Amino acid sequence: MSAGTAQQILGEVFGYTAFRGPQQDIIGHLVAGGDALVLMPTGGGKSLCYQVPAIVRQRAGLGVTLVVSPLIALMHDQVGALHEAGVAAAFLNSSQSLEQSQEVQGRLQRGELTLLYVAPERLNTPRMLSLLAGLHERGLLSLFAIDEAHCVSQWGHDFRPEYRGLSLLHEQFAGVPRVALTATADDLTRQDMIERLKLGQARQFVSSFDRPNIRYRIVEKSDPLRQLLRFIESEHAGEAGIVYCQSRKRVEEVAAALQGAGVQALAYHAGLETALRQQRQDRFLREDGLVMVATIAFGMGINKPDVRFVAHLDMPKNIEGYYQETGRAGRDGLPANAWMAYGLQDVVNQRRMIDASEVASEAFKQVMRGKLDALLALAEGTGCRRVSLLAYFGEGSAPCMNCDNCLQPPELWDATEAGRKLLSCIYRVQQASGLSFGAGHLMDILRGKRTEKVLQYGHERLSTFAIGADLSEAQWRSVLRQLIARDMVRVDFEGMNTLSLLAPARALLLGQGQLWVRMATPAAPRSRQRPQRTSVQGLAEASLNAGALERLQRLKAWRAEVAREHNLPAFVIFHDATLRAIAQRNPQHLQALEGISGMGTKKLQAYGADVVRVCTESG
Ligand code: ADP
Ligand code: ZN
């Protein structure tokens, strides 16, 4: 068959000119009736991998493709997007009335649907299974696509017990090909998934997990709110983004602060009522340029393609979490920023949460500490961030020139002596008073400050008093972070985050080994001017002239209206990238729209004339 047909559908239905990465191989394999396991990063283009085969096979008389998706909230938008492209699609889930669901079942039985989206719990009902059995007998059950397939594994981060029922599909519907898709790279989860879904025989398609359009930056936290605001105002004014915070309270504070500063921000966390959460998620997806301030409760399946930045105001638990969350930026392939501010307090908080857990076993805690250490090493690291991230997932790569360390290699200073001073200060203090103290007090001693507490304990008489007056508090903090990241210093939480020495400190104290620490980021970062945007698809906004920019604004306003009428997110009507290409081309008639990426046949018919009118109207 089939590459030809698939290629035609790609252009005709989706308006795209070429397949991305392994899409073509995957599609060919599924069209030919094979089983597949697809591991592809967020934004890699997984949906097309089953949507194109669904259309090819339906046109060949093979019937409907069933898509299992855990996210009821997003089925509506996905089906809406297929409608816009002229594909017969529907969903069945608990949000529908009885009539609506009967109507869909009727279309299913009459063989009118190309794709049907169902929640896993719905698929497992006797009613649904007997409907499918009927179709199967008539040879009209074409393909099963299991989206977010990692939900079947308890090792993944989104375990859904309902997914377990899917292991029966291949027995009940023998011969119907199955494809499972996920963006979770973790090996343990992957193996578990294959076993649970009985996909041992399936062909595996593993993509690189690199997200080249995302620029990774990790900055030292000094005044986080101000830093965040400066980042948003100077680089992302008016653009959509997500800000992750650790706690509900912090989410509310940060959202209020952003709103106060004139940024359109919404708060989202598990403490809000379901209806309110749903409403805010809808607004984020539907409106342009909103900033969502959220806990990690916000995330899975956020398929908004034009999220331009993901900011972490608090450090996540581990690299898996960090990568998952930052991966929500730039799904459209255009430049996006992953920005994190982190500091000593983050290290302390995360350690505390692990240590304080009463449910976790010691062995489990040890694993969690190891994962946290890997993230600390990334944050403190001086090499390419992307190389470290990909190495963590077992992938080799070369320096990327699209992360802070590549673009502006950090300067290092030799902190070996300072590290020794700090360690011996911790030791002396403990020896003198039999007590441990927190970071602030130790720094006061080192910097020679005669505070009330210093005098109360007679710590001004210690041999380490004032031996570090030459370093700033910020410098001492970064030395301390390094010592914690290297397991030389332990933070205890019973009292007041007190510090004590661990075995690896011995070597440094005995004069072995060295400690190199990143120079603090300059107080007035260069990022005042808009950083140079690497154009990934040759579509950077910077390349638009004034006339085109003005057309783009009008096209966006028009799109917002259409999206509202259809009750769909704007990006489902046209992606930003498509509008930009239109604005640039400045079409004066319908033919001029041909070949624009994202402009399929159905959309050309439905919207072509409007688009030309918007462009030709005088501004
Ligand atoms: P995933 O589910 O892997 O995160 P999606 O399927 O949502 O990714 O695809 C990400 C974006 O890339 C979507 O907006 C989609 O329309 C677009 N896309 C996918 N494949 C192609 C392609 N071959 N050409 C152009 N755009 C594509
Ligand atoms: Zn790099």
Side-chain angles (χ1 to χ4, degrees), residues 152-167:
V152 76
S153 169
Q154 60 179 333
W155 304 115
H157 35 81
D158 304 303
F159 175 48
R160 305 275 173 122
E162 314 86 67
Y163 262 66
R164 288 284 161 88
L166 302 177
S167 61

Side-chain angles (χ1 to χ4, degrees), residues 10 16-20 23 40-48 303 305 331-332 537 575 597:
L10 182 73
Y16 298 143
T17 48
F19 287 112
R20 263 193 207 158
Q23 278 176 336
M40 209 185 254
T42 308
K46 284 187 284 300
S47 333
L48 237 55
N303 62 351
R331 288 172 86 117
D332 53 10
Q537 296 179 337
H575 281 184
S597 179

Side-chain angles (χ1 to χ4, degrees), residues 174-477:
V176 179
R178 293 172 302 147
V179 54
L181 310 100
T182 178
T184 298
D186 179 76
D187 197 47
L188 191 60
T189 314
R190 191 187 302 179
Q191 294 315 324
D192 196 31
M193 201 166 70
I194 293 171
E195 201 169 305
R196 301 259 171 207
L197 295 175
K198 310 272 190 317
L199 281 168
Q201 307 295 317
R203 197 166 139 196
Q204 293 192 20
F205 296 87
V206 182
S207 305
S208 163
F209 269 71
D210 187 19
R211 300 288 311 281
N213 59 318
I214 298 183
R215 177 172 294 181
Y216 298 98
R217 283 151 67 186
I218 303 177
V219 305
E220 228 179 287
K221 208 185 258 189
S222 50
D223 183 349
L225 259 174
R226 253 204 28 234
Q227 287 172 293
L228 174 70
L229 203 58
R230 198 191 306 140
F231 166 69
I232 293 179
E233 283 173 346
S234 63
E235 300 181 34
H236 292 290
E239 295 185 323
I242 306 174
V243 177
Y244 280 111
C245 305
Q246 192 74 55
S247 67
R248 298 171 185 187
K249 181 163 160 266
R250 186 100 178 110
V251 163
E252 297 286 354
E253 284 166 11
V254 172
L258 289 182
Q259 286 155 3
V263 177
Q264 285 208 64
L266 301 169
Y268 187 106
H269 54 72
L272 300 172
E273 275 178 34
T274 316
L276 188 59
R277 254 163 46 198
Q278 185 60 45
Q279 184 216 343
R280 290 186 178 169
Q281 171 167 326
D282 281 350
R283 279 194 63 196
F284 179 72
L285 293 177
R286 279 166 171 62
E287 295 175 31
D288 272 340
L290 288 184
V291 174
M292 186 65 103
V293 185
T295 59
I296 53 169
F298 182 71
M300 188 175 52
I302 297 302
N303 62 351
K304 189 176 168 66
D306 59 346
V307 174
R308 292 271 66 85
F309 71 91
V310 168
H312 280 93
L313 221 44
D314 299 305
M315 193 171 70
K317 283 188 178 51
N318 52 45
I319 291 186
E320 285 96 330
Y322 173 75
Y323 207 63
Q324 195 91 31
E325 284 143 33
T326 54
R328 293 176 186 134
R331 288 172 86 117
D332 53 10
L334 296 173
N337 270 307
W339 180 94
M340 174 162 86
Y342 111 110
L344 184 57
Q345 199 56 42
D346 288 299
V347 183
V348 170
N349 288 345
Q350 290 292 359
R351 278 276 156 106
R352 171 172 31 214
M353 276 193 283
I354 297 171
D355 291 353
S357 166
E358 279 166 13
V359 283
S361 67
E362 192 44 47
F364 186 78
K365 286 182 182 178
Q366 212 45 50
V367 173
M368 300 308 278
R369 283 188 203 109
K371 289 187 174 221
L372 175 59
D373 285 350
L375 181 57
L376 287 183
L378 172 76
E380 293 289 340
T382 52
C384 173
R385 308 276 194 201
R386 192 178 313 271
V387 168
S388 311
L389 283 167
L390 291 175
Y392 184 79
F393 295 117
E395 214 179 303
S397 63
C400 71
M401 289 320 287
N402 194 26
C403 74
D404 51 0
N405 285 352
C406 279
L407 292 169
Q408 201 176 332
E411 289 176 53
L412 300 180
W413 60 285
D414 183 350
T416 314
E417 201 45 48
R420 280 192 199 122
K421 285 177 181 171
L422 209 161
L423 294 176
S424 63
C425 189
I426 295 174
Y427 178 73
R428 298 271 170 238
V429 166
Q430 167 121 54
Q431 212 186 25
S433 42
L435 292 170
S436 298
F437 290 85
H441 183 64
L442 284 156
M443 284 173 208
D444 287 343
I445 299 173
L446 284 163
R447 302 187 64 217
K449 288 196 184 167
R450 291 170 191 276
T451 64
E452 210 171 296
K453 195 165 171 186
V454 167
L455 297 175
Q456 178 193 345
Y457 288 97
H459 285 164
E460 80 282 8
R461 295 193 300 274
L462 291 175
S463 61
T464 52
F465 185 74
I467 58 171
D470 52 328
L471 297 188
S472 69
E473 188 171 324
Q475 283 173 308
W476 278 117
R477 280 184 185 277

Side-chain angles (χ1 to χ4, degrees), residues 576-598:
D576 282 6
T578 304
L579 289 193
R580 257 178 237 146
I582 297 172
Q584 184 138 37
R585 192 174 288 185
N586 192 11
Q588 302 296 309
H589 46 76
L590 270 182
Q591 287 87 320
L593 286 170
E594 270 164 27
I596 284 186
S597 179

